[in-house]
Each structure stands twice: as C-alpha cells, then as structure tokens.
Amino acid sequence: MFDDDSFVDISEILEGQHTGKEVSIRGWVHRERDIGNMLFFNIRDPTGTVQATIAKDNFNEDKFDNIKGLLVESSIKIHGEVAEDERAPGGYEIRAMDAEIVHASDDFPIHEDQSVEHLLDNRHLWLRSTKMRDLMTIRSTVFGAIHEFFRKEGYKEFQSPILTPVACEGGSTLFPVEYFDDEVYLTQSWQLYAEAAIYGVGDIYTIAPSFRAEKSRTPRHLTEYWHAEVEGLWLDNDDLIELGEGLVLHIVDKVLDESFEELKNINEEGLEYLQNLEGPFPRITYEEAVEKLKDAGMDVSYGDDFGVPEEKKLTSMFEKPVFVTHYPKEIKAFYMKRDDDDPSKVLGYDLMVPHVGELIGGSVRETDVDSLVDRLEEEGEDPSIYEWFLDTRRYGSVPHAGYGLGIERVIMWLCNLDHIRDAIAFPRTPNRSRP
RNA sequence: GCCGUCGUAGCUCAAUUGGCAGAGCACUCGGCUGUUAACCGAGCGGUUGACGGUUCAAAUCCGUCCGACGGCGCCA
C-alpha cells in the first residue's frame, strides 16, 4: 500500500487538489482525539496540517488498537480518501483506509503550556512548530535574496578565515580558541581580509557567521550571528548608501514574493508597511540627528553615541529606515575614512529601523597608513599586529568602501520579533550555548 | 559589567503571607462513531534549584551560591 510513492503534500489536499481521490500522506501526529470507535488525528507535514479520521468499522482491528494509543509527534503514513467536510479544520479530511506507524513517539515534552525557557531548552523539538517553520522559511528566502542581489550587482562571493589572529572592531571582545600552542580568535568580521582581497578579486561579498564575546543581555544581540558583508572598489559614501538601500529593498521584495504566506502568519500587521516600502530612505547626518533629539527634549550632546532611548526616538521620527551619516570619529571604528571637509567626522553610516536599531553599519575605508596607526593607538591597540592589514595601504591603495548587515536583525525587523533569538534555529546568547 | 524578577509534579501555575504541599494539562486505565486544545470517571506523579541559618514549625523569613528570564550598558 505504501510502496508506490504516491504520497502527496498535505498542502495539496488543503487546496482541494485531491478531493474524492485516494491518496497517501506521511507526517507527524500533531493532535489526537479518541472518541472510542473513531479516531481523529491532525497530521502535519512540512507543508501543512490536515485531519485524518479512522473509523473502527472499516479498519483492521489490530491496527486500529495500535494507532489508538499513538502519542503526539508519532510519525505515520496514512492512506485514504480525501473528502471535503466543513466539520474538519481546514475544510478537508482524509478518511483512512490503511495506516502504517513509522515511529511511535515518546511523550513529547512540549504541550500547550510553554514558557520561554522551556521552549529554548527544547529548541530542537520546537523547530517542529508552525512558527519556527515559517521563520526558518523566511530566513532561507532572506539568505537567497542577499546572494541574488550581490551577484546581480556583479559582486563575487569571497570567504575569509573564521579563525583569526586579530580583532576588527577595537574594543569588541573576542572568543579565544586554542590553536595548538598558539591562541587565535573566532572572527568578528570578514572585512579586514576583504580589504586585502579586493585589489585582486574586485568587488566581493560574503555571508558568514561572526562572533562577539560580549555579554550583551538584550533582545537584539547574539554571540554568534550571520553577517552579510560587502566590500567594493572606488565606492564613495553615497554609492555605499545606495548599495545598502538596494539590498534591503531587494530582501523585502523577495520575502514578499517568495514567503508571503509565512510572513503573513508571522507579522500580518507589518505587511502593509513592507509592501509600501520604497526608496530612497531618508538620510541625515549625525549632527542633524543630535539636533532633532535635542528638539525632542532628549538629553544628548554632540559626541555622545546613541543609546537605546535615543535610537528609539530617532527611528520613530521617520516612516522608513533612516541612514545616519558623518559620525564623529571618536565613536566609530579605526578603519573609517575621515571626511576631507571635516576631519573630525568619518564617511560612514548606520542604517537604523524602529524596534531593532542598527541593521547596517558601513563606511568608506581609511587608506592613509599614518591615520590608521594613529587611530589604532588612540584605541589602545598594538599596530604591529595589523602590519599585514597596513600593507594593503602601502601598495597601490585605492578608495574603497563596504558595510556589514546583521541578517538576524533584518529577519527580526521583517517579522517584528520580540527577540532576535527566534530569527535563528539554535541561538547563541551569553546565557545559552545549547542545544 | 550594572539593576530587577523568578526558581514548587514532565509542562503551566496555586498554597489565605510561618502551620498537613495542591490544581489544570500531559501520561496510564476505563467509557463514548464527528471530534475541533473533545468530553466524563479513576490512577500515577514531589529532596519546593543547592547549601547554611532563624524558629516548636520554613516553599514562605535571612545569608551565600547556581540557573533562567527582563531591562540598561557595550555593539551588528
């Protein structure tokens, strides 16, 4: 009965494609109701959930008794006739004529009462939930959209080592890794290697994990996150803004196009905002941002980095994501190029959205060796460790720029998630490294 | 790193504020041929996070530690 490969997706049954026909399905018991001589199962596969009914009268008695005792999440194959029936959830059901237990489940640890902690402890099982399935589907679309965008723009994919000897963002904490008799670190960024590669390979991008050993207890930080980074030759700050805006808009279009149902399940209220989103995004300078915040009554002064309250206030002033440019050099990384018009500021930007904060951070790169050494020393770094990086400025350097985008933050923004950990299957946070 | 909340059955939570540790769900058994998180009846289920202290008596009060969650800071 089940050797003929005639299995259909449950979604097809729910679309009415098999009504009146005999089909087989295979999936997991989502719920079971036993009213004695009749059993009702909600059967789930990766495409949907449908009700299966099993009546004792027209079923093998031994099989009926076996199936009667099945627990939630048991895997099963069912063969039967599809019927349209308004009594069934979803409007369709399969009336079983035969069934085969693939694996009888133990008592499943997740039931209707679920705490955040319990679901995180059982993330390996919670991935079976509709919510996580939808989120992982959207995530897959986002990754695909990033590759598609950069390749379409003529960028090559380039990989850098995960194990690295140096920091990238001064001050950020690194995860040390034993490397035989030496010590190296898990990478925080692909950027420094990218800057070495562009002179030969040309415009490049990557999607790779980055690691931060900061004990950031917030809804927007992971210690291991996926980072889309890009580095392009001859780009100025305006080019880089366009490249960032283009990527974000492409991701939004792609998710609306390919994962609309999933997005609707997860964030129906946000659909309209995303559907109406188009460029250009507003652009303001750091100085203007400070003025706006002061006007709004906030206690900030020029030179302060924005905290959560400032970020919240600022993003709430715009209908779209907002580019904030020309930060003071003191609050930005050593590799950012100073603005020739005002050397106290750097040519770079943060792209900020409400609720999530910074989606993208990017800059034109400083190409002057002396300036780089000065900035490294100001941050208390030892420039000698960066010799290989400084070499990229000694041999025919050219203007270039790049940015990094936090992929889980983008997903958090698209899906209006309360916490970034739901944007990744197995989140790594300061308090959680398993499962 | 700082501030706060919490930790009781497999899960979600009670325990009249110091006086016999309980309920719902799950699970097991029994009943039921149209259920919708089915329902009805019974049963199983505990070192109250750990250690110490106060007390005739501690889940409850005090101390230390552990863990989780929430917020701030740091950052993407």
Side-chain angles (χ1 to χ4, degrees):
Chain A
M1 179 68 77
F2 292 109
D3 297 334
D4 61 359
D5 286 341
S6 67
F7 294 100
V8 301
D9 284 345
I10 284 173
S11 60
E12 294 173 13
I13 294 176
L14 297 172
E15 287 161 7
Q17 289 186 33
H18 301 291
T19 310
K21 293 177 199 154
E22 276 186 35
V23 298
S24 297
I25 58 171
R26 48 189 165 184
W28 290 261
V29 174
H30 184 66
R31 231 179 276 290
E32 187 229 352
R33 292 173 297 280
D34 168 6
I35 60 165
N37 288 326
M38 195 160 175
L39 309 176
F40 296 87
F41 286 101
N42 297 354
I43 303 294
R44 183 198 80 242
D45 76 5
T47 69
T49 303
V50 71
Q51 172 163 287
T53 62
I54 301 178
K56 192 171 189 174
D57 280 355
N58 47 21
F59 215 80
N60 174 287
E61 194 173 329
D62 286 343
K63 274 194 178 178
F64 185 88
D65 289 341
N66 274 334
I67 289 166
K68 201 179 164 88
L70 274 189
L71 301 185
V72 163
E73 286 305 319
S74 294
S75 42
I76 190 172
K77 298 174 181 175
I78 291 177
H79 180 85
E81 185 181 335
V82 175
E84 195 168 359
D85 193 319
E86 61 181 15
R87 293 172 297 185
Y92 293 90
E93 65 183 18
I94 177 165
R95 293 174 182 156
M97 298 180 294
D98 194 12
E100 182 182 311
I101 298 168
V102 179
H103 180 249
S105 178
D106 287 350
D107 188 7
F108 200 66
I110 302 175
H111 303 113
E112 60 265 34
D113 292 320
Q114 306 146 342
S115 63
V116 170
E117 185 178 351
H118 190 239
L119 293 182
L120 286 170
D121 288 342
N122 291 285
R123 184 51 86 88
H124 54 297
L125 302 175
W126 183 235
L127 285 176
R128 302 183 184 199
S129 68
T130 309
K131 180 183 174 183
M132 288 310 297
R133 183 194 67 194
D134 287 341
L135 284 169
M136 291 306 111
T137 304
I138 292 166
R139 182 181 166 99
S140 171
T141 302
V142 169
F143 274 69
I146 295 168
H147 282 296
E148 190 180 83
F149 176 80
F150 283 126
R151 284 163 187 259
K152 193 184 65 186
E153 294 287 321
Y155 285 73
K156 294 173 191 165
E157 186 172 358
F158 175 81
Q159 292 83 22
S160 71
I162 302 290
L163 300 173
T164 71
V166 294
C168 175
E169 313 278 342
S172 291
T173 326
L174 296 143
F175 284 109
V177 176
E178 200 176 298
Y179 193 77
F180 305 110
D181 295 329
D182 203 357
E183 184 173 74
V184 295
Y185 307 95
L186 296 180
T187 183
Q188 309 178 297
S189 173
W190 159 97
Q191 178 192 329
L192 300 191
Y193 291 97
E195 289 190 62
I198 47 171
Y199 300 105
V201 185
D203 297 338
I204 51 176
Y205 80 99
T206 195
I207 297 180
S210 281
F211 304 86
R212 301 282 161 96
E214 292 152 357
K215 292 197 168 179
S216 300
R217 276 207 54 83
T218 82
R220 334 188 295 198
H221 288 84
L222 295 165
T223 53
E224 175 181 329
Y225 68 101
W226 285 78
H227 210 170
E229 292 182 272
V230 61
E231 202 70 32
L233 292 164
W234 311 107
L235 299 181
D236 64 22
N237 202 39
D238 288 335
D239 297 329
L240 195 67
I241 285 178
E242 272 177 43
L243 194 65
E245 186 176 286
L247 175 61
V248 170
L249 287 171
H250 185 69
I251 291 170
V252 170
D253 282 350
K254 207 73 186 164
V255 169
L256 285 169
D257 184 43
E258 290 183 5
S259 302
F260 185 81
E261 285 306 315
E262 289 82 2
L263 189 63
K264 193 177 165 194
N265 289 343
I266 295 287
N267 182 22
E268 189 163 9
E269 312 77 52
L271 275 183
E272 202 181 328
Y273 169 82
L274 294 172
Q275 283 166 328
N276 293 331
L277 191 66
E278 51 185 30
F281 298 160
R283 301 155 192 207
I284 62 169
T285 65
Y286 167 85
E287 199 168 345
E288 289 165 348
V290 170
E291 288 309 312
K292 275 180 174 292
L293 289 169
K294 277 183 180 167
D295 290 347
M298 301 210 70
D299 182 25
V300 298
S301 40
Y302 189 90
D304 295 343
D305 207 353
F306 299 138
V308 169
E310 291 80 21
E311 222 170 75
K312 210 172 257 182
K313 189 78 194 170
L314 191 63
T315 53
S316 74
M317 294 173 177
F318 298 91
E319 296 289 312
K320 300 175 186 178
V322 55
F323 287 101
V324 181
T325 67
H326 298 83
Y327 282 84
K329 69 176 166 52
E330 288 77 15
I331 56 176
K332 285 294 171 186
F334 75 92
Y335 50 72
M336 294 191 181
K337 186 173 181 58
R338 296 183 202 182
D339 185 357
D340 286 339
D341 297 336
D342 180 354
S344 76
K345 295 169 183 163
V346 293
L347 293 171
Y349 67 78
D350 286 348
L351 176 65
M352 307 214 285
V353 295
H355 182 58
V356 176
E358 186 180 340
L359 284 188
I360 296 180
S363 69
V364 179
R365 313 308 193 187
E366 181 60 69
T367 51
D368 180 70
V369 173
D370 293 337
S371 296
L372 285 169
V373 170
D374 285 351
R375 288 288 291 122
L376 281 169
E377 283 172 348
E378 275 174 39
E379 298 198 2
E381 297 270 335
D382 176 5
S384 69
I385 301 171
Y386 293 85
E387 273 304 310
W388 72 267
F389 178 69
L390 296 174
D391 271 355
T392 65
R393 273 67 173 163
R394 289 180 176 125
Y395 307 103
S397 186
V398 300
H400 62 285
Y403 64 71
L405 168 146
I407 300 179
E408 285 81 10
R409 285 199 175 173
V410 170
I411 296 166
M412 187 182 174
W413 171 62
L414 293 170
C415 297
N416 194 28
L417 299 178
D418 293 333
H419 202 294
I420 197 169
R421 64 188 161 216
D422 290 339
I424 189 168
F426 295 100
R428 297 290 177 253
T429 58
N431 283 346
R432 201 169 272 281
S433 53
R434 56 184 65 102

